[in-house]
């Protein structure tokens, strides 16, 4: 069975980039366009990995990550923050919220894929 990745991203252009990237792999992609939908999708699909944007409508990525990590059924799922907030201290803030990895936008597709494979291998 192929591993499932949940992408929580509100910008269509960014979703398309990740969609195209994942299409070249064996992974299955699930999408959510805001933090609340991301939390719901994590519960419904139990993905193997979550790519979490930080600037999201409804609930931001920090809070979404905290809520997912607070759920014993979802706590084990690695979350990679994928964000254009690449200021000093933001990575620490993402990790403190429960994210397991951090990638700044714009990212290189190769870098993102290698990070994904690192968590899913």
């Amino acid at each position: 069975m192929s591993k499932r990745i949940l992408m929580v991203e509100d910008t269509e252009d960014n979703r398309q980039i990740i969609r195209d990237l994942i299409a070249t792999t064996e992974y299955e992609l699930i999408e959510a366009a805001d933090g609340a939908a991301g939390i719901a999708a994590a519960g419904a699909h139990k993905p193997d990995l979550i790519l979490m944007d930080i600037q999201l409508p409804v609930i931001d990525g920090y809070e979404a990550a905290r809520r997912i990590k607070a759920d014993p059924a979802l706590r084990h799922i690695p979350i990679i923050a994928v964000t254009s907030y690449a200021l000093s201290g933001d990575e620490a803030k993402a990790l403190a919220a429960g994210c397991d990895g951090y990638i700044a936008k714009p990212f290189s597709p190769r870098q993102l894929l290698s990070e994904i494979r690192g968590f899913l291998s």
Side-chain angles (χ1 to χ4, degrees):
M1 199 175 87
S2 67
K3 302 219 169 172
R4 290 183 298 190
I5 296 172
L6 169 61
M7 160 179 57
V8 188
E9 168 63 68
D10 63 324
T11 309
E12 177 57 36
D13 288 353
N14 292 337
R15 279 206 302 268
Q16 191 59 54
I17 290 166
I18 293 175
R19 224 179 262 138
D20 293 345
L21 181 64
I22 299 302
T24 68
T25 71
E26 66 280 13
Y27 305 127
E28 182 190 330
L29 188 64
I30 302 153
E31 299 181 31
D34 66 63
I39 296 166
H45 298 283
K46 308 274 191 301
D48 298 287
L49 176 76
I50 299 171
L51 299 175
M52 180 74 73
D53 186 24
I54 296 299
Q55 284 176 282
L56 289 168
V58 189
I59 295 172
D60 74 22
Y62 294 125
E63 182 59 25
R66 272 195 285 280
R67 292 191 195 181
I68 289 165
K69 291 296 187 174
D71 183 332
L74 306 177
R75 177 175 300 146
H76 66 283
I77 303 170
I79 300 175
I80 301 175
V82 183
T83 179
S84 49
Y85 274 174
L87 303 170
S88 148
D90 286 331
E91 182 169 2
K93 191 171 172 189
L95 298 175
C99 294
D100 302 278
Y102 181 91
I103 291 191
K105 294 176 192 167
F107 52 79
S108 99
R110 193 178 291 120
Q111 177 203 12
L112 181 61
L113 210 47
S114 116
E115 187 86 359
I116 288 169
R117 290 195 193 287
F119 278 107
L120 293 181
S121 58

Coordinates of all heavy atoms in Angstrom, one line a residue, residues 40-121:
A40 N -9.1 17.9 10.4 CA -10.2 16.9 10.1 C -9.6 15.8 9.1 O -9.9 14.7 9.3 CB -11.4 17.6 9.4
A41 N -8.9 16.2 8.1 CA -8.3 15.3 7.2 C -7.3 14.3 7.8 O -7.3 13.2 7.5 CB -7.7 16.0 6.0
A42 N -6.5 14.9 8.8 CA -5.6 14.0 9.5 C -6.3 13.0 10.3 O -5.9 11.8 10.3 CB -4.7 14.9 10.4
G43 N -7.4 13.3 10.9 CA -8.2 12.4 11.7 C -8.9 11.4 10.8 O -9.0 10.2 11.1
A44 N -9.4 11.8 9.6 CA -10.1 10.9 8.7 C -9.2 10.0 8.0 O -9.6 8.8 7.8 CB -11.0 11.7 7.7
H45 N -8.1 10.4 7.5 CA -7.2 9.7 6.6 C -6.0 9.0 7.3 O -5.4 8.2 6.7 CB -6.7 10.5 5.5 CG -7.8 11.0 4.6 ND1 -8.5 10.3 3.7 CD2 -8.4 12.3 4.5 CE1 -9.4 11.0 3.1 NE2 -9.4 12.2 3.6
K46 N -5.6 9.5 8.5 CA -4.4 9.0 9.2 C -3.3 8.9 8.2 O -2.7 7.8 8.0 CB -4.7 7.6 9.8 CG -5.9 7.5 10.7 CD -5.6 7.9 12.1 CE -6.7 7.6 13.1 NZ -8.0 8.2 12.8
P47 N -2.8 10.1 7.7 CA -1.7 10.0 6.7 C -0.4 9.6 7.4 O -0.3 9.6 8.6 CB -1.6 11.5 6.2 CG -2.1 12.3 7.4 CD -3.2 11.4 8.0
D48 N 0.6 9.2 6.5 CA 1.9 8.8 7.0 C 2.8 10.1 7.3 O 3.8 10.0 8.0 CB 2.5 7.9 6.0 CG 1.7 6.6 5.8 OD1 1.7 5.8 6.7 OD2 1.0 6.5 4.8
L49 N 2.4 11.2 6.7 CA 3.2 12.4 6.8 C 2.3 13.6 6.5 O 1.4 13.5 5.7 CB 4.3 12.4 5.8 CG 5.2 13.7 5.7 CD1 6.2 13.7 6.9 CD2 6.0 13.7 4.4
I50 N 2.5 14.7 7.1 CA 1.8 16.0 6.9 C 2.7 17.1 6.5 O 3.7 17.3 7.2 CB 1.0 16.4 8.1 CG1 0.0 15.3 8.5 CG2 0.2 17.7 7.9 CD1 -0.7 15.5 9.8
L51 N 2.4 17.7 5.4 CA 3.1 19.0 4.9 C 2.2 20.1 5.4 O 1.1 20.3 4.9 CB 3.3 19.0 3.4 CG 4.2 17.8 2.8 CD1 4.2 17.9 1.3 CD2 5.6 17.9 3.4
M52 N 2.7 20.9 6.3 CA 1.8 22.0 6.9 C 2.3 23.4 6.6 O 3.4 23.8 7.0 CB 1.8 21.7 8.4 CG 1.0 22.7 9.2 SD -0.8 22.4 9.1 CE -0.9 20.9 10.1
D53 N 1.5 24.1 5.8 CA 1.8 25.5 5.7 C 1.6 26.2 7.0 O 0.8 25.7 7.8 CB 0.9 26.1 4.6 CG 1.2 27.5 4.2 OD1 2.3 28.0 4.4 OD2 0.3 28.2 3.7
I54 N 2.2 27.3 7.3 CA 2.0 28.0 8.6 C 0.9 29.1 8.4 O 0.1 29.2 9.3 CB 3.3 28.6 9.1 CG1 4.3 27.5 9.4 CG2 3.1 29.4 10.3 CD1 3.9 26.5 10.4
Q55 N 1.0 29.9 7.4 CA 0.0 30.9 7.2 C -1.2 30.3 6.5 O -1.3 30.2 5.3 CB 0.6 32.0 6.2 CG 1.6 32.9 6.9 CD 2.2 33.9 5.8 OE1 3.0 33.5 5.0 NE2 1.7 35.1 5.8
L56 N -2.2 30.0 7.3 CA -3.4 29.3 6.8 C -4.7 30.1 7.3 O -4.6 30.6 8.4 CB -3.5 27.9 7.3 CG -2.5 26.9 6.8 CD1 -2.5 25.6 7.6 CD2 -2.8 26.6 5.3
P57 N -5.7 30.0 6.5 CA -7.0 30.6 7.0 C -7.6 29.6 8.1 O -7.2 28.5 8.2 CB -7.9 30.7 5.8 CG -7.3 29.8 4.8 CD -5.8 29.6 5.1
V58 N -8.6 30.1 8.8 CA -9.3 29.5 9.9 C -8.5 29.2 11.1 O -8.7 29.7 12.2 CB -10.1 28.2 9.4 CG1 -11.0 27.6 10.4 CG2 -10.8 28.4 8.1
I59 N -7.5 28.2 11.0 CA -6.6 27.9 12.1 C -5.2 27.9 11.5 O -5.0 27.3 10.4 CB -6.9 26.5 12.7 CG1 -8.3 26.5 13.3 CG2 -5.8 26.1 13.7 CD1 -8.7 25.1 13.8
D60 N -4.2 28.6 12.1 CA -2.9 28.6 11.4 C -2.2 27.3 11.7 O -2.6 26.4 12.4 CB -2.1 29.8 11.9 CG -1.5 29.7 13.3 OD1 -1.4 28.6 13.9 OD2 -1.2 30.8 13.9
G61 N -1.1 27.2 10.9 CA -0.3 25.9 10.9 C 0.2 25.5 12.3 O 0.3 24.3 12.6
Y62 N 0.6 26.5 13.1 CA 1.2 26.2 14.4 C 0.1 25.6 15.3 O 0.3 24.5 15.9 CB 1.6 27.5 15.2 CG 2.8 28.2 14.5 CD1 2.7 29.6 14.2 CD2 4.0 27.6 14.3 CE1 3.8 30.3 13.6 CE2 5.1 28.3 13.8 CZ 5.0 29.6 13.4 OH 6.0 30.3 12.9
E63 N -1.1 26.2 15.3 CA -2.2 25.6 16.1 C -2.7 24.3 15.6 O -3.0 23.4 16.3 CB -3.4 26.7 16.1 CG -4.5 26.2 17.0 CD -4.2 26.0 18.5 OE1 -3.2 26.5 19.0 OE2 -4.9 25.2 19.1
A64 N -2.7 24.1 14.2 CA -3.2 22.9 13.6 C -2.2 21.8 14.0 O -2.6 20.7 14.4 CB -3.2 23.0 12.1
A65 N -0.9 22.1 14.0 CA 0.1 21.1 14.4 C 0.0 20.7 15.9 O 0.0 19.5 16.2 CB 1.5 21.6 14.1
R66 N -0.3 21.7 16.7 CA -0.5 21.5 18.1 C -1.6 20.5 18.4 O -1.6 19.6 19.2 CB -0.7 22.8 18.9 CG 0.6 23.4 19.4 CD 0.3 24.5 20.4 NE -0.2 25.7 19.8 CZ 0.5 26.7 19.2 NH1 1.8 26.6 19.1 NH2 0.0 27.8 18.7
R67 N -2.7 20.8 17.7 CA -3.9 20.0 17.9 C -3.8 18.5 17.4 O -4.2 17.6 18.0 CB -5.2 20.6 17.2 CG -5.5 21.9 17.9 CD -6.9 22.4 17.4 NE -7.1 23.8 17.7 CZ -8.2 24.5 17.4 NH1 -9.2 23.9 16.8 NH2 -8.3 25.7 17.8
I68 N -3.1 18.4 16.3 CA -2.8 17.0 15.7 C -1.9 16.3 16.7 O -2.2 15.1 17.0 CB -2.2 17.1 14.3 CG1 -3.3 17.6 13.3 CG2 -1.6 15.8 13.9 CD1 -2.7 18.1 12.0
K69 N -0.9 16.9 17.2 CA 0.1 16.3 18.1 C -0.6 16.0 19.5 O -0.1 15.2 20.3 CB 1.3 17.1 18.3 CG 2.2 17.1 17.0 CD 2.8 15.8 16.7 CE 3.8 15.9 15.5 NZ 4.4 14.6 15.2
A70 N -1.7 16.7 19.8 CA -2.3 16.5 21.1 C -3.3 15.3 21.0 O -3.7 14.8 22.1 CB -3.1 17.8 21.5
D71 N -3.5 14.8 19.8 CA -4.4 13.6 19.7 C -3.6 12.4 19.7 O -2.8 12.1 18.8 CB -5.1 13.8 18.3 CG -6.2 12.7 18.1 OD1 -6.0 11.6 18.6 OD2 -7.1 12.9 17.3
P72 N -3.8 11.5 20.7 CA -3.0 10.3 20.8 C -3.0 9.4 19.5 O -2.1 8.7 19.2 CB -3.6 9.5 21.9 CG -4.4 10.6 22.7 CD -4.8 11.6 21.7
A73 N -4.1 9.4 18.7 CA -4.3 8.6 17.5 C -3.5 9.2 16.4 O -3.2 8.5 15.4 CB -5.7 8.5 17.1
L74 N -3.1 10.5 16.5 CA -2.4 11.2 15.4 C -1.0 11.6 15.7 O -0.2 12.0 14.9 CB -3.2 12.4 15.0 CG -4.6 12.2 14.6 CD1 -5.3 13.5 14.3 CD2 -4.8 11.2 13.4
R75 N -0.6 11.5 17.0 CA 0.6 12.1 17.5 C 1.9 11.6 16.8 O 2.9 12.3 16.7 CB 0.7 11.7 19.0 CG 1.9 12.1 19.7 CD 1.8 11.8 21.2 NE 0.7 12.6 21.8 CZ -0.1 12.1 22.8 NH1 0.2 10.9 23.3 NH2 -1.0 12.8 23.2
H76 N 1.8 10.3 16.3 CA 3.0 9.7 15.7 C 3.3 10.2 14.3 O 4.3 10.0 13.7 CB 2.8 8.2 15.6 CG 1.7 7.8 14.7 ND1 0.3 8.0 15.0 CD2 1.7 7.4 13.4 CE1 -0.4 7.6 14.0 NE2 0.3 7.3 13.0
I77 N 2.3 10.9 13.7 CA 2.5 11.4 12.3 C 3.5 12.5 12.2 O 3.3 13.6 12.9 CB 1.1 11.8 11.7 CG1 0.1 10.7 11.8 CG2 1.3 12.3 10.2 CD1 -1.4 11.2 11.5
P78 N 4.5 12.4 11.4 CA 5.5 13.5 11.3 C 4.9 14.7 10.5 O 4.1 14.5 9.6 CB 6.7 12.9 10.5 CG 6.3 11.5 10.1 CD 4.9 11.2 10.7
I79 N 5.1 15.9 11.0 CA 4.7 17.1 10.4 C 5.9 17.9 9.9 O 6.7 18.2 10.7 CB 3.8 17.9 11.3 CG1 2.6 17.1 11.8 CG2 3.3 19.2 10.6 CD1 1.7 17.9 12.9
I80 N 5.9 18.2 8.6 CA 6.9 19.1 8.1 C 6.3 20.5 7.9 O 5.3 20.6 7.1 CB 7.5 18.6 6.8 CG1 8.2 17.2 7.0 CG2 8.6 19.6 6.3 CD1 8.7 16.6 5.7
A81 N 6.8 21.5 8.5 CA 6.3 22.9 8.3 C 6.9 23.3 6.9 O 8.1 23.2 6.8 CB 6.7 23.8 9.4
V82 N 6.1 23.8 6.0 CA 6.5 24.3 4.7 C 6.1 25.7 4.7 O 4.9 26.0 4.5 CB 6.0 23.5 3.6 CG1 6.5 24.0 2.2 CG2 6.3 22.0 3.7
T83 N 7.0 26.7 4.8 CA 6.5 28.0 5.1 C 7.4 29.1 4.5 O 8.6 29.0 4.3 CB 6.4 28.3 6.6 OG1 6.0 29.6 6.8 CG2 7.7 28.1 7.3
S84 N 6.7 30.2 4.1 CA 7.5 31.4 3.6 C 7.9 32.3 4.8 O 8.6 33.2 4.6 CB 6.7 32.2 2.6 OG 5.4 32.4 3.1
Y85 N 7.5 31.9 6.0 CA 8.0 32.6 7.2 C 9.3 32.0 7.5 O 9.5 31.1 8.2 CB 7.1 32.2 8.4 CG 5.9 33.0 8.6 CD1 5.0 32.6 9.6 CD2 5.6 34.1 7.9 CE1 3.8 33.4 9.8 CE2 4.4 34.8 8.1 CZ 3.5 34.5 9.1 OH 2.4 35.2 9.3
A86 N 10.4 32.6 6.9 CA 11.7 32.0 7.2 C 12.6 32.9 8.0 O 13.7 33.2 7.7 CB 12.4 31.6 5.9
L87 N 12.0 33.6 9.0 CA 12.7 34.5 9.8 C 13.4 33.7 10.9 O 13.0 32.6 11.3 CB 11.8 35.5 10.5 CG 11.0 36.3 9.5 CD1 9.9 37.1 10.2 CD2 11.9 37.3 8.7
S88 N 14.4 34.4 11.5 CA 15.1 33.7 12.6 C 14.1 33.5 13.7 O 13.3 34.3 14.1 CB 16.2 34.7 13.0 OG 16.5 34.5 14.4
G89 N 14.1 32.2 14.3 CA 13.2 31.9 15.4 C 12.0 31.2 14.9 O 11.3 30.5 15.7
D90 N 11.6 31.3 13.6 CA 10.4 30.6 13.1 C 10.5 29.1 13.1 O 9.6 28.4 13.4 CB 10.0 31.1 11.7 CG 9.5 32.5 11.7 OD1 8.8 32.9 12.8 OD2 9.6 33.3 10.8
E91 N 11.7 28.6 12.8 CA 11.9 27.2 12.8 C 11.7 26.7 14.2 O 11.0 25.7 14.4 CB 13.3 26.8 12.2 CG 13.5 25.3 12.2 CD 14.7 24.9 11.4 OE1 15.5 25.8 11.0 OE2 15.0 23.7 11.3
A92 N 12.3 27.3 15.2 CA 12.2 26.9 16.6 C 10.7 27.0 17.0 O 10.2 26.1 17.7 CB 13.0 27.8 17.5
K93 N 10.0 28.0 16.5 CA 8.5 28.1 16.9 C 7.7 26.9 16.3 O 6.9 26.4 16.9 CB 8.0 29.5 16.4 CG 6.6 29.8 16.9 CD 6.3 31.2 16.5 CE 4.8 31.5 16.8 NZ 4.3 32.8 16.3
A94 N 8.1 26.6 15.0 CA 7.4 25.5 14.3 C 7.7 24.2 15.1 O 6.8 23.4 15.3 CB 7.8 25.4 12.9
L95 N 8.9 24.0 15.5 CA 9.3 22.7 16.1 C 8.7 22.7 17.5 O 8.2 21.6 18.0 CB 10.8 22.6 16.3 CG 11.6 22.5 14.9 CD1 13.1 22.5 15.1 CD2 11.1 21.3 14.1
A96 N 8.6 23.8 18.2 CA 7.9 23.9 19.5 C 6.4 23.6 19.4 O 5.8 23.0 20.3 CB 8.1 25.3 20.1
A97 N 5.8 23.9 18.3 CA 4.4 23.6 18.1 C 4.1 22.1 17.7 O 3.0 21.7 17.7 CB 3.8 24.5 16.9
G98 N 5.2 21.4 17.5 CA 5.1 20.0 17.3 C 5.5 19.5 15.9 O 5.4 18.3 15.6
C99 N 6.0 20.4 15.1 CA 6.5 20.0 13.8 C 7.8 19.3 13.9 O 8.6 19.6 14.8 CB 6.7 21.3 12.9 SG 5.1 22.1 12.5
D100 N 8.0 18.3 13.0 CA 9.2 17.5 13.1 C 10.2 17.9 12.1 O 11.4 17.5 12.2 CB 8.8 16.0 12.8 CG 7.7 15.5 13.8 OD1 8.1 15.1 14.9 OD2 6.5 15.6 13.4
G101 N 9.8 18.7 11.1 CA 10.8 19.2 10.1 C 10.3 20.6 9.7 O 9.2 21.0 10.0
Y102 N 11.2 21.3 8.9 CA 10.9 22.6 8.6 C 11.6 22.9 7.2 O 12.8 22.7 7.1 CB 11.5 23.6 9.6 CG 11.3 25.0 9.4 CD1 10.2 25.7 9.9 CD2 12.3 25.8 8.7 CE1 10.0 27.0 9.8 CE2 12.1 27.2 8.6 CZ 11.0 27.8 9.1 OH 10.8 29.1 8.9
I103 N 10.8 23.4 6.3 CA 11.3 23.8 5.0 C 10.8 25.1 4.6 O 9.6 25.4 4.7 CB 10.9 22.7 3.9 CG1 11.7 21.4 4.1 CG2 11.2 23.3 2.5 CD1 11.6 20.4 3.1
A104 N 11.7 26.0 4.2 CA 11.4 27.4 3.9 C 11.0 27.5 2.4 O 11.6 26.8 1.6 CB 12.5 28.4 4.2
K105 N 10.0 28.3 2.1 CA 9.6 28.5 0.7 C 10.4 29.8 0.2 O 10.6 30.6 1.0 CB 8.1 28.9 0.5 CG 7.2 27.8 0.8 CD 5.8 28.3 0.7 CE 4.7 27.4 1.3 NZ 3.4 28.0 1.5
P106 N 10.8 29.9 -1.0 CA 10.6 28.8 -2.0 C 11.6 27.7 -1.8 O 12.8 27.9 -1.5 CB 10.9 29.6 -3.3 CG 11.8 30.7 -2.9 CD 11.5 31.1 -1.5
F107 N 11.1 26.5 -1.9 CA 12.0 25.3 -1.7 C 12.4 24.7 -3.0 O 11.7 24.9 -4.0 CB 11.2 24.3 -0.8 CG 9.9 23.9 -1.3 CD1 9.7 23.0 -2.4 CD2 8.7 24.5 -0.8 CE1 8.5 22.7 -2.9 CE2 7.5 24.2 -1.3 CZ 7.4 23.3 -2.4
S108 N 13.4 23.9 -3.0 CA 13.8 23.2 -4.2 C 13.0 21.9 -4.1 O 12.9 21.2 -3.0 CB 15.3 22.9 -4.2 OG 15.6 21.6 -3.8
P109 N 12.3 21.4 -5.2 CA 11.6 20.2 -5.2 C 12.4 19.0 -4.7 O 12.0 18.2 -3.9 CB 11.1 20.0 -6.6 CG 11.1 21.4 -7.1 CD 12.2 22.2 -6.5
R110 N 13.7 19.0 -5.1 CA 14.6 17.9 -4.7 C 14.8 17.9 -3.2 O 14.8 16.9 -2.5 CB 15.9 18.1 -5.4 CG 16.8 16.8 -5.3 CD 18.1 16.9 -6.0 NE 17.9 16.9 -7.4 CZ 18.3 17.9 -8.2 NH1 18.9 19.0 -7.7 NH2 18.1 17.9 -9.5
Q111 N 14.9 19.1 -2.6 CA 15.1 19.2 -1.1 C 13.8 18.7 -0.4 O 13.9 18.0 0.6 CB 15.3 20.7 -0.7 CG 15.5 20.9 0.8 CD 15.2 22.3 1.2 OE1 14.7 23.2 0.4 NE2 15.5 22.7 2.4
L112 N 12.6 19.1 -0.9 CA 11.4 18.7 -0.3 C 11.2 17.2 -0.3 O 10.9 16.6 0.6 CB 10.2 19.4 -0.9 CG 8.8 19.1 -0.3 CD1 8.8 19.5 1.2 CD2 7.7 19.7 -1.0
L113 N 11.5 16.7 -1.5 CA 11.3 15.2 -1.7 C 12.3 14.4 -0.8 O 11.9 13.4 -0.3 CB 11.6 14.9 -3.2 CG 10.8 13.7 -3.7 CD1 9.4 13.7 -3.3 CD2 11.0 13.6 -5.2
S114 N 13.5 14.9 -0.7 CA 14.5 14.2 0.2 C 14.0 14.3 1.6 O 14.2 13.3 2.4 CB 15.9 14.8 -0.1 OG 16.4 15.4 1.0
E115 N 13.5 15.4 2.0 CA 12.9 15.5 3.4 C 11.8 14.5 3.6 O 11.7 13.8 4.6 CB 12.5 17.0 3.6 CG 12.0 17.3 5.1 CD 13.2 17.7 6.0 OE1 14.3 17.7 5.6 OE2 12.9 17.9 7.2
I116 N 10.9 14.5 2.6 CA 9.7 13.6 2.7 C 10.2 12.1 2.8 O 9.8 11.4 3.6 CB 8.8 13.8 1.4 CG1 8.1 15.1 1.5 CG2 7.8 12.6 1.3 CD1 7.3 15.5 0.3
R117 N 11.1 11.8 1.9 CA 11.6 10.4 1.9 C 12.3 10.0 3.2 O 12.3 8.9 3.7 CB 12.6 10.2 0.7 CG 11.8 10.2 -0.6 CD 12.7 9.6 -1.7 NE 12.2 9.8 -3.1 CZ 11.2 9.2 -3.6 NH1 10.5 8.3 -2.9 NH2 10.8 9.5 -4.8
G118 N 13.0 11.0 3.8 CA 13.7 10.8 5.0 C 12.7 10.4 6.1 O 13.0 9.5 6.9
F119 N 11.5 11.0 6.1 CA 10.5 10.7 7.2 C 9.8 9.4 6.8 O 9.3 8.7 7.7 CB 9.5 11.8 7.3 CG 10.0 12.9 8.2 CD1 10.4 14.1 7.7 CD2 10.1 12.8 9.6 CE1 10.9 15.2 8.5 CE2 10.6 13.8 10.4 CZ 11.0 15.0 9.8
L120 N 9.6 9.1 5.5 CA 8.8 7.9 5.2 C 9.5 6.6 4.9 O 8.9 5.6 4.7 CB 7.9 8.3 3.9 CG 6.9 9.4 4.2 CD1 6.1 9.6 2.9 CD2 5.9 9.0 5.3
S121 N 10.9 6.7 4.9 CA 11.6 5.5 4.6 C 11.7 4.6 5.8 O 11.6 5.0 6.9 CB 13.0 5.8 4.1 OG 13.7 6.6 5.1

